[in-house]
Amino acid sequence: LVQYSILTSVVLKLHYWVFFLTTLLIFQAEIDVAVQLLLKLKTDYKHLTGQDYKAGCPPPENVVNQDNGAATDGIDEEDNVDPWNVSTSNAKGVDYDKLIVRFGSSKIETELVDRIEKVTGQKPHRFLRRGIFFSHRDMHQVLDAYEKNKSFYLYTGRGPSSEAMHVGHLIPFIFTKWLQDVFDIPLVIQLTDDEKYLWKDLAIEECHRFAVENAKDIIACGFDVNKTFIFSDFDYMGSSPEFYRNVVKIQKHVTYNQVKGIFGFTDSDCIGKISFPAIQAAPSFSNSFPQIFGGRKDVQCLIPCAIDQDPYFRMTRDVAPRIGYPKPALLHSSFFPALQGAQTKMSASDANSSIFLTDTPKQIKNKINKHAFSGGKDTIEEHRKFGGNPDVDVSFMYLTFFLDDDEQLEKIKQDYSSGALLTGELKKILIETLQPMIAQHQERRKQVTEETVKQFMTPRPLNFKL
Ligand code: TRP
């Protein structure tokens, strides 16, 4: 009898737990469905009103596209995007539409691309035509002002973590050069050698040397020396009282709690990291460069950058009105995929994950043939029968970045999808696109002398009218 009652009790407990766990599992599945639904509703809401959905806030009457903070986090667990890490479990790469919702920015719609074409009278750059720059903040306002003859300036940058730059690093610079040309405006480029010193195991001198070396590759993109100021933080910060004053102003108006929330700093991060975001924010304000803007603090800034830099500028846009400055506008690019696939961005520390600006034609050929992740089928027969998948094929992705001819690109896509074009043939097209492009870059870089670098990096007036 005793044993029987113990058994009954065990069985009862078992029933109870099975029931409990099953309920829990069903509940979990429901949560997942609800989260998906919520995400979709938020995207729809944003699409309709141009604004982020904020719980407990009815839609405003005048639905204009305006600023917003980061949307509720934690919805998407598979994509990880911040200034130091980018990863996703999806072979097509990061889900950028979700990122727009999460970061609270706006999608670059065809309408905006058409407007840029109308305002500049130039065919939009392929990065715009193909959605490589896919997200923005306040670009319509910049164009409204530009149409009323109120000009603006460009600000972009690079963290010089090594001497070696790869093709992915050129994306923001190629695009910024185009913007400078079509809008005819001044540009400042920040080389954050201080940032790299704080984050990496490098000496100050090394970081500074990388800044100067990287400046040569940047100059080789063709920037106009009369309209461009390139600066190393180590050099410029200490020489410009106005710049440093802005840094401290920003530091006074952002709390530790805020940067902790935005960047995920912890108690064991050094205080240099915690205060660094103010240094990346400062060039967004025109009076940080009195030699260029003559002390004016109201010149609008536009920042082209990869989307992982957005946290810095969310913070910047948040403090701007509180210290009496206009908020910088932004254009965000997607990431350039590693040769091994779009799950991560390229790493300068893995020689086989990227095409470097110093690679020889032979290295380019070998790397692409050996390492470029293919969306093709395993055998030629299967490939001919079922076709390849350009959406996960890295060679095809690279062509969308660098092959300018839209019709040719579309034909390649169709032929690859139908199986008419084989992986080897696709790779050959990419190799023949990149080899001359890199060779020309190397040729232009060779022309950049120490004297040229010094010219670009000397604080001086620039030539433009506002
Ligand atoms: N933090 C950036 C990097 O590590 C460098 C940077 C500074 C930057 N200012 C910028 C990038 C403005 C884009 C726009 O690469």
Side-chain angles (χ1 to χ4, degrees):
L1 193 69
V2 171
Q3 272 186 351
Y4 181 74
S5 72
I6 291 176
L7 186 68
T8 331
S9 140
V10 168
V11 167
L12 270 175
K13 277 198 183 123
L14 209 72
H15 275 332
Y16 171 79
W17 281 107
V18 167
F19 176 76
F20 181 74
L21 288 173
T22 319
T23 318
L24 210 69
L25 279 175
I26 293 172
F27 198 58
Q28 181 62 44
E30 275 174 5
I31 291 177
D32 287 346
V33 172
V35 165
Q36 290 305 322
L37 184 67
L38 181 65
L39 191 65
K40 181 167 181 319
L41 286 171
K42 284 179 81 174
T43 320
D44 291 349
Y45 180 91
K46 176 131 199 216
H47 196 74
L48 289 171
T49 65
Q51 298 199 345
D52 277 324
Y53 172 75
K54 293 200 182 68
C57 260
E61 310 253 311
N62 58 334
V63 276
V64 282
N65 239 352
Q66 46 156 270
D67 195 27
N68 26 52
T72 324
D73 275 313
I75 289 190
D76 192 48
E77 301 294 356
E78 53 196 2
D79 292 355
N80 178 0
V81 176
D82 65 44
W84 306 282
N85 299 291
V86 177
S87 64
T88 170
S89 50
N90 187 338
K92 292 181 190 170
V94 172
D95 185 330
Y96 291 108
D97 282 335
K98 279 192 196 168
L99 216 54
I100 287 174
V101 178
R102 227 169 83 193
F103 282 9
S105 60
S106 308
K107 192 174 172 121
I108 297 186
E109 312 272 7
T110 326
E111 183 206 345
L112 178 58
V113 178
D114 291 346
R115 232 192 125 187
I116 294 175
E117 172 161 22
K118 202 176 125 242
V119 172
T120 62
Q122 303 283 331
K123 180 178 176 181
H125 193 273
R126 61 177 181 277
F127 293 170
L128 281 174
R129 304 200 298 271
R130 298 179 191 160
I132 287 170
F133 273 78
F134 69 100
S135 151
H136 76 100
R137 294 183 191 273
D138 285 353
M139 193 57 201
H140 279 291
Q141 265 148 266
V142 170
L143 294 175
D144 289 344
Y146 190 79
E147 280 177 325
K148 294 189 192 112
N149 288 323
K150 244 187 103 197
S151 202
F152 59 98
Y153 75 100
L154 296 164
Y155 158 40
T156 190
R158 156 155 179 84
S161 50
S162 85
E163 207 168 314
M165 283 176 69
H166 55 62
V167 279
H169 290 139
L170 290 187
I171 307 299
F173 294 107
I174 293 172
F175 189 59
T176 303
K177 147 88 176 131
W178 182 80
L179 290 170
Q180 177 177 60
D181 288 349
V182 300
F183 286 104
D184 188 26
I185 42 175
L187 158 68
V188 296
I189 299 176
Q190 178 181 46
L191 301 173
T192 51
D193 37 14
D194 52 350
E195 177 189 20
K196 292 303 145 181
Y197 172 69
L198 289 166
W199 261 269
K200 308 247 161 182
D201 186 18
L202 294 166
I204 290 193
E205 272 60 43
E206 277 177 299
C207 298
H208 184 260
R209 191 173 63 81
F210 294 155
V212 176
E213 285 309 305
N214 289 180
K216 293 177 188 165
D217 281 301
I218 293 169
I219 292 167
C221 291
F223 293 106
D224 180 348
V225 67
N226 297 311
K227 294 186 169 63
T228 308
F229 174 47
I230 304 179
F231 63 98
S232 122
D233 281 345
F234 279 134
D235 291 340
Y236 187 61
M237 266 272 279
S239 79
S240 168
E242 293 81 1
F243 190 97
Y244 186 57
R245 277 167 203 215
N246 273 341
V247 168
V248 177
K249 247 190 209 174
I250 298 159
Q251 286 172 344
K252 181 165 173 170
H253 291 83
V254 182
T255 65
Y256 176 51
N257 230 352
Q258 284 170 311
V259 285
K260 214 163 60 172
I262 300 173
F263 299 97
F265 294 138
T266 69
D267 286 356
S268 47
D269 277 310
C270 70
I271 59 173
K273 286 186 185 179
I274 292 152
S275 57
F276 173 76
I279 301 174
Q280 181 152 335
S284 316
F285 306 128
S286 59
N287 61 347
S288 293
F289 306 98
Q291 70 281 8
I292 302 175
F293 302 106
R296 273 183 64 177
K297 61 170 193 178
D298 62 341
V299 186
Q300 170 73 48
C301 174
L302 171 65
I303 308 171
C305 64
I307 185 81
D308 62 335
Q309 298 298 306
D310 189 65
Y312 285 112
F313 302 117
R314 281 206 295 271
M315 185 201 85
T316 310
R317 288 168 57 87
D318 187 63
V319 286
R322 286 187 281 126
I323 54 179
Y325 297 148
K327 291 180 180 186
L330 287 138
L331 289 170
H332 298 125
S333 74
S334 56
F335 303 113
F336 192 73
L339 279 173
Q340 285 75 7
Q343 276 92 339
T344 61
K345 67 173 181 176
M346 298 207 299
S347 147
S349 45
D350 177 357
N352 285 327
S353 78
S354 18
I355 306 292
F356 283 88
L357 300 178
T358 46
D359 282 349
T360 62
K362 205 169 150 204
Q363 281 172 316
I364 295 173
K365 182 172 162 206
N366 288 341
K367 275 191 198 176
I368 292 171
N369 281 335
K370 253 205 212 130
H371 299 291
F373 182 79
S374 168
K377 296 289 178 297
D378 288 343
T379 64
I380 293 188
E381 294 70 44
E382 271 181 61
H383 189 88
R384 292 276 187 229
K385 198 163 157 203
F386 302 111
N389 180 0
D391 292 340
V392 299
D393 191 289
V394 172
S395 302
F396 183 76
M397 290 183 201
Y398 279 24
L399 283 173
T400 63
F401 279 85
F402 295 116
L403 187 71
D404 198 47
D405 188 328
D406 291 338
E407 274 174 36
Q408 198 190 344
L409 187 72
E410 186 52 37
K411 175 133 182 23
I412 291 169
K413 184 172 185 175
Q414 302 210 335
D415 289 351
Y416 195 59
S417 307
S418 76
L421 191 73
L422 298 174
T423 294
E425 293 164 335
L426 174 68
K427 288 191 171 188
K428 186 156 176 281
I429 302 174
L430 176 64
I431 292 163
E432 285 167 1
T433 307
L434 285 183
Q435 279 173 336
M437 189 188 106
I438 301 287
Q440 283 156 20
H441 178 89
Q442 290 167 357
E443 196 44 48
R444 285 193 305 267
R445 193 188 194 276
K446 247 195 274 166
Q447 313 290 320
V448 179
T449 61
E450 298 298 327
E451 189 49 40
T452 318
V453 177
K454 214 172 126 196
Q455 262 182 316
F456 272 96
M457 297 187 75
T458 302
R460 73 219 120 92
L462 297 179
N463 182 8
F464 63 95
K465 47 181 191 317
L466 281 178

